[in-house]
Amino acid sequence: MISLRDITKENYEAICDLEVTESQEDYVAGNTWSIVESVFNDNYTARAIYQQNTPVGMLMWVKESNKKVSIWRFMVDQQFQQGGVGRKAMSLALEEIKQDIDLDEIEICYVPSNPVAKNFYGSFGFVEVGMDDDNEEMLAILKLTN
């Protein structure tokens, strides 16, 4: 059973201790920094990913405008990868984000040399639209029908 939960004073340390594999470290920001960002910035939402009662990952998204949300962080601890946790967690996050009926799109960025990310996000309907403004990451958009 996978669920998304608030990050609180009771679980933040466990979330900060989660790690990706060494080869993934260049693709994912640290959870500690993401939690700090979500606490001190309006419109940032952070969620812990749980498998039963064990924290196994985290997500963070930002409401950029009334029409757009950007998923900024998504990680699953190395011990829990390849078991469907990420797919279920992304599905739950998209369901929660889509509760905002005014949204037109959800966007996500990833390093273009990461084919796993491209295929994973593409399976949810994200379509690549080109490089971001800094020309460092691929931008992919999920258009919502209202």
Side-chain angles (χ1 to χ4, degrees), residues 51-134:
Q51 185 171 37
Q52 277 78 21
N53 288 316
T54 303
V56 299
M58 83 162 284
L59 282 144
M60 184 177 77
W61 58 86
V62 178
K63 187 167 185 180
E64 303 274 359
S65 70
N66 288 336
K67 300 293 182 187
K68 180 172 72 173
V69 165
S70 297
I71 299 173
W72 278 19
R73 307 284 191 273
F74 177 44
M75 70 81 66
V76 174
D77 184 86
Q78 59 187 336
Q79 297 179 40
F80 299 94
Q81 293 180 9
Q82 303 298 316
V85 171
R87 181 160 299 284
K88 180 62 176 171
M90 180 58 71
S91 293
L92 291 170
L94 292 174
E95 285 176 27
E96 184 174 339
I97 293 167
K98 290 176 182 179
Q99 296 304 307
D100 185 336
I101 59 171
D102 292 330
L103 288 180
D104 289 337
E105 64 184 35
I106 301 169
E107 72 176 16
I108 196 159
C109 290
Y110 48 88
V111 178
S113 62
N114 184 352
V116 173
K118 175 182 178 171
N119 294 334
F120 179 78
Y121 298 126
S123 73
F124 287 96
F126 285 91
V127 176
E128 291 183 345
V129 295
M131 298 299 284
D132 67 3
D133 291 340
D134 297 327

